[in-house]
Amino acid sequence: MEKLIITGPTPLKGEVEINGAKNAAVAILPATLLINGVCTINNLPNISDVQILCKILEKMGAKITWNSSNEITIDTRNINTTQAPLDLTSKFRASYYLIGAMLGRAGKIEVGMPGGCKLGARPIDQHIKGFELLGASVEVRNGAISAKANCLKGNSIYMDVVSVGATINIMLAAVLAKGTTVIDNAAKEPHIVDVANFLNTMGADIRGAGTDVIKINGVEKLHGDCTYSVVPDQIEAGTFMLAAIASKGDLLIKNCITKHLECITAKILEIGGNVEDYGDSIRVWYTKRPNKAIIKTLPYPGFPTDLQPQMGVVLSTANGTSIINESIWESRFQYTDELNKMGAKITAQGKSAVFEGVDELFGAPVYSTDLRAGAALIVAGVSANGVTEVYNLQHIDRGYENIEEKFRKIGANIQRVKE
Ligand code: EPU
């Protein structure tokens, strides 16, 4: 078992480079199954979710060559099974994208029931509804999902909830379907646009991604022989923006799309932080104790649930009492118990939490309960007085590449040690 040992407080200062987006990469990799050919993907984050997906694709017959630590060439001409390895697919969430992609490619697939962070109920009814409206039959049995279709046909699909996963999955299944599919009440996250851009680069005809109506005109086939670069990770960028404020630092965050960060920028300005926007990089710095705030997480372009714990760290030491309402995941406040061990005064109940701002946090042993909780605890450890030990790093490694190295480069006293 590994843990991080962080000695704080350290004001984080300097420059940090953002990697490609995890939640785009984990959809683009399965999307390569729709191409019967070769393509190169760069700006791929080298994180454990990506490594597991590559293993799954290889087990299904794909040939993957790592050209560098952030670029692969993938050849999907010899996919030889419609059975994805159940043990690996049930390890993480995004394995559900294999369903949409393989329905499109082969009309059949079996995958393990998707796992991922324990954030409360994570139903996939909207994915299934979409596949069925395109003509597939879907069965969930013994911890696995099987789906099959003789011929997928375009349809109008209204999403009852705004779902990132279901929007992308239906888009994947619809790309090679006959006729036109319209997804209404679609999610609008930057990674949805990125997956659509990837598919369009390969010959798909998807319009409207980034709005709440996406139209997919089915095409005969996709071609390979393309290179695609994954969009920068807005959640990683936001994590460092909030780390700059929490640690009383000054960071230049490079390789990001600042348009995707507007809701975070707005909140940082509202609590009294400073932001300078350069389009593809952003400087964030602290000058005074943050003001209290009221935050509600919402689908994009609202404040992202995936930055809620990191914002929680900032509000733990804000001037006054803040409230966060979490509208996406019912169990996303598990990190507050850990912050309370560090001296925070947070009362979480259901989907709301009240943060009474304290003067400072103190180091403590803490456990990451999910990916973003883990990132938040690192931010807390850097900002707190004394030594913090962060456990359960497997959650953090799922979504952040070289996290301790990035924090060390901007001044954190942080080490990964084996127990
Ligand atoms: N929902 C349903 N039915 C469905 C699908 C979703 O009721 O069929 C509900 C969920 O229970 C949730 C809401 O709709 O309340 C939104 O869920 P969504 O489908 O958008 O989430 P997801 O696709 O499972 C992705 C990210 C999450 C991120 C959410 C919200 C990936 C692999 N995961 O999850 O990322 O929190 O969107 O933005 O893209 C993370 O990166 O730490 C992470 C958890």
Side-chain angles (χ1 to χ4, degrees), residues 128-136 151-159 170-171 173-184 213-218:
I128 294 175
K129 167 179 154 171
F131 297 144
E132 288 178 343
L133 282 168
L134 293 175
C151 170
L152 291 173
K153 285 205 184 102
N155 205 343
S156 288
I157 300 166
Y158 178 83
M159 313 288 299
I170 294 166
M171 211 159 75
V175 159
L176 298 178
K178 289 216 173 341
T180 298
T181 299
V182 178
I183 308 175
D184 246 303
V213 183
I214 302 179
K215 190 170 162 190
I216 305 130
N217 295 313

Side-chain angles (χ1 to χ4, degrees), residues 16 18 237 240-241 251-256 280-282 284:
V16 60
I18 298 307
F240 282 103
M241 288 168 76
L251 290 178
L252 181 64
I253 296 145
K254 296 171 86 173
N255 184 34
C256 55
D280 59 359
S281 65
I282 194 160
V284 180

Side-chain angles (χ1 to χ4, degrees), residues 307-324:
L307 286 173
Q308 188 261 97
Q310 300 86 318
M311 183 52 123
V313 175
V314 171
L315 296 181
S316 296
T317 56
N319 199 357
T321 299
S322 303
I323 296 175
I324 299 185

Side-chain angles (χ1 to χ4, degrees), residues 104-351:
R105 180 185 179 108
K108 200 172 168 206
I109 180 68
E110 188 180 17
V111 301
M113 200 65 189
C117 289
K118 303 274 175 274
L119 304 171
R122 297 189 78 172
I124 55 163
D125 56 302
Q126 297 302 304
H127 303 236
I128 294 175
K129 167 179 154 171
F131 297 144
E132 288 178 343
L133 282 168
L134 293 175
S137 60
V138 183
E139 212 174 46
V140 182
R141 193 175 287 174
N142 302 334
I145 308 174
S146 20
K148 57 180 180 217
N150 288 331
C151 170
L152 291 173
K153 285 205 184 102
N155 205 343
S156 288
I157 300 166
Y158 178 83
M159 313 288 299
D160 302 322
V161 291
V162 178
S163 160
V164 171
T167 302
I168 293 179
N169 228 343
I170 294 166
M171 211 159 75
L172 293 173
V175 159
L176 298 178
K178 289 216 173 341
T180 298
T181 299
V182 178
I183 308 175
D184 246 303
N185 200 23
K188 297 181 274 200
E189 270 69 3
H191 34 288
I192 288 171
V193 180
D194 204 43
V195 179
N197 286 344
F198 168 75
L199 290 164
N200 284 344
T201 307
M202 305 296 160
D205 183 357
I206 303 172
R207 299 161 193 214
T211 75
D212 57 6
V213 183
I214 302 179
K215 190 170 162 190
I216 305 130
N217 295 313
V219 296
E220 286 270 304
K221 61 176 188 157
L222 300 186
H223 55 78
D225 297 327
C226 279
T227 296
Y228 190 80
S229 190
V230 178
V231 71
D233 195 319
Q234 115 241 33
I235 302 300
E236 191 193 10
T239 300
F240 282 103
M241 288 168 76
L242 293 166
I245 300 297
S247 72
K248 306 185 177 170
D250 185 345
L251 290 178
L252 181 64
I253 296 145
K254 296 171 86 173
N255 184 34
C256 55
I257 299 175
T258 58
K259 172 82 190 144
H260 297 163
L261 301 168
E262 276 173 350
C263 52
I264 305 135
T265 300
K267 275 293 161 191
I268 289 180
L269 291 173
E270 189 183 310
I271 61 175
N274 307 282
V275 180
E276 249 168 34
D277 180 339
Y278 307 112
D280 59 359
S281 65
I282 194 160
R283 179 180 165 214
V284 180
W285 73 103
Y286 172 101
T287 38
K288 67 178 189 67
R289 186 175 182 186
N291 309 320
K292 64 185 176 176
I294 293 180
I295 308 273
K296 180 168 179 151
T297 64
L298 286 170
Y300 187 83
F303 191 90
T305 173
D306 293 345
L307 286 173
Q308 188 261 97
Q310 300 86 318
M311 183 52 123
V313 175
V314 171
L315 296 181
S316 296
T317 56
N319 199 357
T321 299
S322 303
I323 296 175
I324 299 185
N325 285 305
E326 167 61 53
S327 75
I328 314 286
W329 302 121
E330 63 206 26
S331 305
R332 205 154 216 180
F333 283 123
Q334 296 170 77
Y335 73 92
T336 58
D337 284 340
E338 305 305 302
L339 286 188
N340 284 345
K341 290 182 195 164
M342 301 177 74
K345 280 196 184 159
I346 310 166
T347 311
Q349 201 168 38
K351 284 186 164 182

